[in-house]
């Protein structure tokens, strides 16, 4: 089997004022080549003004099997939302 | 972004009836499946095969067109063709990356292609004989690819769907630049017109074959529809393509090489002649004019590029050591 080149995740900032957003992955031997390849592959039509490349191996992801216990409890904590509180209309916008 | 952890990992799931029912319920609810989610082995295998074939098609598809870059008739056409072929390389990369999220490596997929174990679209086993072929490929071959790819933007597997959205955005330029080439020829000298007609004659039927066998003879169709990997059947997509393309040929004053082609008012679409399926299967099984050349060229590109990959890795290792020493 051929030796694999490391995998990188690519994040692009579409324009200043917006956050970098994940747009895909690529293989490259190091960060310099990863940036070059990301420019060639993911910004051919003015998609961005800034690129981040991150080694995929550096990402720790939450376990999808634990999605229920991780994220479902927020659904019943309705008191975290502004609409939970009754303020008379006379008070005006709040 | 999950593949590093998944390559070679044990991804087996216990496929109890309850598990399968729960999975199907998620699909039916139009939920997207993401790489780390539990999925039936068949779903994973189908996607690895399909996305892999799709990726190989993008890469092998660079060869017939790359053949004409140095012979494009003007700087404008050359720049456009170069940009198109570069896009196809990008499409291959998005797709390999999507397949890798399922636990297979790009190197493994490449080795399967070179060993003749993985397929790619048979359309690329036809030769590009004249400049008119480049226009016709953009118009018909990219046109057929777009028909296939638009429903894939809603595929149940998240990474594949996301890759397809990017690909579709880029494809429309491919089809338009192709049609413009054919239009220029069709409005040119009699000889140029003849070139355009000759290219249409050769590419029409193979383009129809790109949608695959008739629904009744299509091996993986039903399950793929149930899993929402596929949204339309082969014949449905082929019909859409014919209905969209015939008027475009008429506009150019070119004739579609099918004597049985006829508007059917009742079904609001065209009836067409029977496809030569023996040719289809012959080319799929390796008997096309260019099958041998395409794999030979891909292997050569891979082998001749090996020193670049090795040098890049050696350089990266050297820099890493130096950096460590400095810390
Ligand atoms: Fe493409
Ligand atoms: Fe294309």
């Amino acid at each position: 089997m051929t030796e694999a080149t490391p995998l990188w995740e690519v994040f692009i900032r579409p324009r200043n004022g917006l956050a970098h957003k994940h747009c895909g992955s690529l293989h490259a031997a190091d960060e310099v080549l990863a940036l070059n390849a990301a420019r060639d592959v993911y910004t051919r039509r003015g998609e961005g003004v800034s690129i981040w490349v991150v080694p995929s191996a550096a990402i720790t992801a939450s376990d999808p099997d634990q999605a229920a216990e991780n994220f479902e409890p927020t659904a019943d904590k309705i008191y975290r939302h502004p609409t939970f509180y009754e303020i008379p209309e006379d008070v005006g916008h709040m | 972004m999950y593949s590093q952890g998944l390559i070679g990992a044990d991804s087996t799931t216990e496929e109890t009836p309850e598990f399968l029912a729960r999975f199907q319920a998620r699909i039916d609810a139009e939920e997207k499946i993401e790489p780390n989610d539990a999925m039936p082995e068949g779903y994973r295998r189908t996607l690895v095969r399909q996305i892999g074939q799709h990726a190989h098609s993008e890469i092998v598809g660079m060869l017939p067109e790359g053949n004409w870059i140095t012979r494009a008739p003007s700087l404008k056409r050359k720049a456009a063709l170069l940009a198109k072929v570069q896009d196809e390389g990008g499409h291959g990369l998005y797709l390999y990356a999507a397949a890798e999220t399922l636990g297979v490596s790009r190197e493994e997929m490449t080795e399967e292609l070179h060993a003749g174990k993985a397929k790619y679209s048979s359309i690329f086993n036809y030769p590009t004989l004249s400049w008119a072929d480049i226009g016709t490929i953009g118009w018909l071959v990219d046109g057929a690819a777009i028909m296939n790819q638009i429903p894939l933007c809603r595929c149940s597997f998240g990474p594949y769907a996301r890759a397809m959205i990017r690909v579709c955005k880029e494809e429309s330029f491919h089809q338009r630049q192709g049609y413009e080439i054919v239009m220029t020829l069709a409005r040119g000298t009699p000889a140029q017109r003849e070139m355009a007609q000759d290219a249409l004659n050769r590419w029409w039927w193979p383009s129809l074959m790109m949608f695959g066998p008739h629904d009744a003879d299509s091996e993986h169709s039903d399950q793929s529809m149930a899993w929402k990997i596929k949204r339309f059947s082969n014949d449905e997509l082929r019909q859409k393509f014919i209905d969209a393309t015939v008027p475009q040929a008429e506009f150019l004053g070119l004739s579609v090489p099918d004597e049985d082609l006829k508007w059917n008012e009742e079904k609001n679409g065209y009836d067409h002649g029977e496809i030569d399926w023996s040719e289809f299967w012959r080319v799929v099984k390796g008997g096309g004019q260019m099958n041998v050349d395409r794999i030979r060229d891909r292997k050569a590109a891979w082998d001749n590029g090996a020193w670049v990959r090795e040098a890049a890795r050696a350089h990266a290792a050297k820099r890493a050591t130096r950096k460590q020493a400095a810390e």
Side-chain angles (χ1 to χ4, degrees), chain B residues 36-56:
Chain B
N36 285 348
D37 293 352
M39 60 183 86
E41 197 43 40
Y43 181 81
R44 180 187 303 277
R45 243 183 305 131
T46 301
L47 280 166
V48 166
R49 191 191 61 240
Q50 182 173 334
I51 303 173
Q53 283 182 12
H54 196 161
H56 296 325

Side-chain angles (χ1 to χ4, degrees), chain B:
Chain B
M1 77 183 294
Y2 318 81
S3 52
Q4 204 84 353
L6 272 172
I7 291 174
D10 178 21
S11 55
T12 44
T13 34
E14 238 214 288
E15 299 190 20
T16 59
E18 293 76 32
F19 166 76
L20 292 174
R22 241 181 316 160
F23 184 78
Q24 191 60 49
R26 290 188 65 189
I27 299 275
D28 293 340
E30 295 289 335
E31 250 182 67
K32 294 284 182 217
I33 307 301
E34 293 294 339
N36 285 348
D37 293 352
M39 60 183 86
E41 197 43 40
Y43 181 81
R44 180 187 303 277
R45 243 183 305 131
T46 301
L47 280 166
V48 166
R49 191 191 61 240
Q50 182 173 334
I51 303 173
Q53 283 182 12
H54 196 161
H56 296 325
S57 301
E58 302 285 353
I59 299 296
V60 176
M62 296 165 82
L63 295 169
E65 290 181 296
N67 191 34
W68 282 90
I69 291 174
T70 54
R71 289 175 277 166
S74 69
L75 191 56
K76 172 186 149 188
R77 296 293 186 208
K78 186 174 185 166
L81 184 57
L82 205 51
K84 178 186 190 290
V85 173
Q86 191 191 9
D87 275 354
E88 306 300 5
H91 297 173
L93 188 144
Y94 312 152
L95 286 159
Y96 283 128
E100 284 191 304
T101 65
L102 291 161
V104 59
S105 77
R106 187 182 57 177
E107 285 79 2
E108 284 167 330
M109 287 183 276
T110 304
E111 277 164 17
E112 286 204 337
L113 173 71
H114 294 179
K117 282 188 245 164
K119 301 229 173 309
Y120 55 89
S121 180
S122 274
I123 195 78
F124 303 119
N125 291 319
Y126 291 84
T128 38
L129 303 178
S130 82
W131 172 249
D133 289 22
I134 297 307
T136 309
I137 286 179
W139 171 31
L140 298 181
V141 175
D142 288 82
I146 292 170
M147 279 292 171
N148 264 323
Q149 286 168 347
I150 286 175
L152 285 172
C153 295
R154 293 190 298 129
C155 164
S156 62
F157 186 57
Y160 195 21
R162 291 193 286 276
M164 279 300 106
I165 290 170
R166 261 196 94 83
V167 166
C168 284
K169 269 190 203 152
E170 300 181 352
E171 284 293 347
S172 104
F173 136 65
H174 298 181
Q175 193 185 18
R176 290 170 67 102
Q177 65 89 37
Y179 191 73
E180 202 195 78
I181 290 172
V182 182
M183 192 163 64
T184 307
L185 292 169
R187 291 175 177 172
T189 65
Q192 287 171 327
R193 233 189 125 59
E194 208 174 295
M195 270 171 72
Q197 182 61 55
D198 166 65
L200 177 57
N201 292 348
R202 283 181 291 109
W203 290 95
W204 176 255
W205 291 103
S207 300
L208 297 191
M209 294 177 198
M210 282 177 71
F211 297 94
H214 277 315
D215 296 347
D217 309 318
S218 178
E219 237 185 295
H220 309 289
S221 265
D222 290 349
Q223 185 58 71
S224 288
M225 293 279 252
W227 278 332
K228 303 202 174 173
I229 294 172
K230 248 177 119 140
R231 298 272 176 171
F232 296 97
S233 76
N234 295 354
D235 287 329
E236 282 172 320
L237 289 170
R238 183 163 25 238
Q239 185 67 49
K240 271 187 189 212
F241 175 75
I242 294 171
D243 294 343
T245 312
V246 170
Q248 294 165 357
E250 279 168 3
F251 179 83
L252 299 174
L254 298 177
S255 53
V256 172
D258 178 357
E259 285 174 7
D260 300 318
L261 190 78
K262 180 164 96 255
W263 178 254
N264 181 332
E265 192 65 57
E266 221 166 286
K267 76 169 185 188
N268 199 28
Y270 286 90
D271 289 331
H272 64 91
E274 198 40 69
I275 291 166
D276 181 359
W277 294 110
S278 64
E279 175 183 327
F280 173 79
W281 290 114
R282 183 169 54 77
V283 180
V284 168
K285 291 186 174 134
Q289 207 178 326
M290 302 303 283
N291 295 58
V292 174
D293 296 51
R294 298 301 184 227
I295 294 301
R296 181 202 62 204
D297 291 351
R298 279 313 310 154
K299 271 194 198 148
W302 184 256
D303 295 342
N304 296 338
W307 72 270
V308 180
R309 296 190 295 277
E310 279 157 25
R313 271 197 299 267
H315 181 66
K318 203 165 81 183
R319 282 184 59 230
T321 325
R322 230 185 260 148
K323 204 171 151 195
Q324 231 167 19
E327 270 165 15

